[in-house]
Amino acid sequence: QVRLVESGGGLVRAGDSLTLSCAAAGRSFNTFAMGWFRQAPGQERELVASAISGGRTNYHDSVKGRFTVSKEGSESKVTLQMNSLKPEDTAVYYCAARLDPFDIWKYWGQGTQVTVSS
């Protein structure tokens, strides 16, 4: 059973930084892409950032210039460096993995809470 585990969430003040990490529990596996999603109370889950093996990255407009996603080759590890955090970044953050270009986001972590106070 594949399981992703996130770490690094917490309570910070506006303007602070946090780094989220995600890795497969147990044995690592090859991935095409890994991403970070977030879901705030009463809102739909949204894709925050994704990284494809080979280096291509994508970001939600609201985090461009503040967040950086990093993926180690085709491994099942990904980090999200979050700078200049805002209260509207408050959400549960989930990492997810896709195994090939035609796959859905197949594997998910359990989520980690990020709370940004004003």
Side-chain angles (χ1 to χ4, degrees):
Q1 181 72 21
V2 174
R3 189 165 62 97
L4 299 175
V5 180
E6 303 102 334
S7 62
L11 171 63
V12 297
R13 295 180 178 178
D16 285 352
S17 298
L18 272 178
T19 301
L20 304 183
S21 299
C22 172
R27 192 176 67 178
S28 179
F29 56 94
N30 289 335
T31 59
F32 166 73
M34 295 195 74
W36 288 95
F37 292 73
R38 68 185 179 189
Q39 187 167 21
Q43 297 186 21
E44 294 186 355
R45 189 173 299 189
E46 63 182 8
L47 178 61
V48 176
S50 62
I52 297 173
S53 298
R56 181 178 171 184
T57 57
N58 288 288
Y59 296 92
H60 191 280
D61 285 346
S62 66
V63 306
K64 285 181 180 177
R66 299 188 297 122
F67 289 12
T68 302
V69 61
S70 299
K71 180 180 181 299
E72 297 183 18
S74 61
E75 294 189 17
S76 51
K77 297 179 182 179
V78 65
T79 61
L80 184 68
Q81 176 65 44
M82 305 185 292
N83 298 327
S84 302
L85 283 162
K86 304 176 181 180
E88 50 264 43
D89 294 319
T90 295
V92 178
Y93 284 70
Y94 301 87
C95 74
R98 289 169 58 187
L99 302 188
D100 62 61
F102 307 102
D103 199 5
I104 59 172
W105 292 101
K106 188 170 185 177
Y107 299 114
W108 292 82
Q110 80 287 351
T112 185
Q113 176 70 46
V114 172
T115 303
V116 185
S117 64
S118 57

